[in-house]
Amino acid sequence: MTRTTPERPVSVGAVLPELAPYRGRTTRLHPRPGRPGMRDSHVGGPMLWPYGDPWPVCSESHRPETEGCAPDDIRNARAAGTRPESRPWPDTGMSREGGPAPFVGLAQFFRRDIPRLAPGPDDADLVQLFRCPFTHTSHLERRYHLRWRRAAETERAERFLVSPPEAPLLRRENEIPQPCVLHPEEVDTYPWAEGDTLPAPLIDLIDAWDDAQAAEHGPGAPSYQYDLSIPPGWQVGGFPSWASTGPMLVGCAACATPMRLLLTAEGTEMDGGSHSWVPIEDRDPSLRGPASIRGGSSVSRPTGLRFGRDRDLHVFICPADPGHPPQWLLS
């Protein structure tokens, strides 16, 4: 089934025509629980991983843990609609402090499914995203890993890895993604309106429009950031949101080139203010507003993941050389 973003509550061109030069495009991925295969773009499905290729491992020191959930217990509990039991941490060397610890595969995207996906090194057209299941330093930082591949070359491998290595226990159940199929859809998007993301006079116009909407329609009025700017959820390309951090200049550590947003990952596909973006196919046409949304957590939190305290994970790459180290920002 396709997913179709509803028309915006108001036309951006009609109410803020000055934004026209800043319009961009993003591909909303619309993950929904399903059974993706290793040759599909997905969140949480099996990676297209040739047998014999070393699985990515985090060798940094990790925060000590005393208990956790076994990966299979998490999967079985999800299938049963229950919560997994917590177990004492085994004495395995990987468990309490230090490493190595195998990364968890979060997602993979093929350009054949998502044409807006930026090319990787040597025009790689498959990108795979991983996260260390443990935290680092006293600030509970996370480590991510990006793997680029040429899809056609990779698919010619004779054998593929079926059961990747896993840590014996995980801190929480939201360390493992729920397997999700994708429903890519391109939509218009506009920059976050704060700081120097747009000219100051234009931000003033946006703020004045927001104030007028609130005065006329009350708390449920349309607003630029929630309803017109950047859609919630997993997406490729487009503009970053800066709700938690405020706008930041992201420069390549290798060459100082301003970096490009490759993708955004989120634990939620909507929040209290962004429900207008929920697709038509996930709504009851006889109802309006948030009451019309159907599907429960399979629509609002389909992947089962969490990034920070329900923040956005932005993955940036260098447009001058995609082989330069990526940058990861929670905002």
Side-chain angles (χ1 to χ4, degrees), residues 45 56 72 74-75 84 109 127 132 138 169 173 179 208 211 241 251-253 258 288 303 315 322:
D72 282 342
I74 294 172
R75 297 183 183 101
F109 307 122
V127 65
C132 176
S138 59
L169 295 183
E173 59 187 289
D211 291 343
S241 61
C252 177
R288 296 179 62 83
T303 67
V315 183

Side-chain angles (χ1 to χ4, degrees), residues 1-159:
M1 179 186 293
T2 60
R3 290 297 189 274
T4 310
T5 296
E7 291 187 9
R8 297 300 76 222
V10 297
S11 165
V12 177
V15 301
L16 292 165
E18 297 85 354
L19 277 166
Y22 304 96
R23 182 175 59 226
R25 298 283 280 176
T26 188
T27 303
R28 301 189 70 191
L29 299 180
H30 299 304
R32 296 293 184 272
R35 299 183 65 182
M38 67 173 60
R39 288 177 170 83
D40 298 324
S41 295
H42 61 65
V43 175
M47 293 292 193
L48 185 70
W49 198 269
Y51 188 86
D53 274 16
W55 187 260
V57 167
C58 182
S59 298
E60 296 187 32
S61 295
H62 304 118
R63 294 272 296 173
E65 305 288 350
T66 58
E67 59 182 7
C69 303
D72 282 342
D73 288 351
I74 294 172
R75 297 183 183 101
N76 293 337
R78 281 181 178 165
T82 61
R83 299 292 298 272
E85 285 189 19
S86 184
R87 302 168 178 256
W89 213 280
D91 188 12
T92 63
M94 147 195 325
S95 55
R96 296 188 179 276
E97 192 168 7
F103 277 90
V104 175
L106 299 186
Q108 70 176 16
F109 307 122
F110 292 84
R111 198 184 310 143
R112 65 191 178 212
D113 300 323
I114 309 167
R116 197 163 290 277
L117 181 68
D122 300 321
D123 204 34
D125 58 351
L126 164 61
V127 65
Q128 297 168 318
L129 176 66
F130 301 82
R131 179 171 69 180
C132 176
F134 304 124
T135 56
H136 301 254
T137 78
S138 59
H139 300 292
L140 305 183
E141 296 174 356
R142 305 305 297 267
R143 300 290 183 260
Y144 294 88
H145 176 74
L146 210 61
R147 177 66 180 265
W148 288 97
R149 296 181 182 275
R150 288 196 185 96
E153 290 180 7
T154 307
E155 289 173 324
R156 288 197 293 268
E158 293 184 3
R159 296 174 61 195

Side-chain angles (χ1 to χ4, degrees), residues 199-240:
L202 184 47
I203 291 180
D204 290 341
L205 282 176
I206 292 169
D207 289 343
W209 181 81
D210 280 347
D211 291 343
Q213 292 298 299
E216 181 176 354
H217 302 289
S223 69
Y224 176 78
Q225 304 286 42
Y226 275 126
D227 298 294
L228 307 182
S229 174
I230 300 169
W234 286 70
Q235 52 199 287
V236 166
F239 301 107

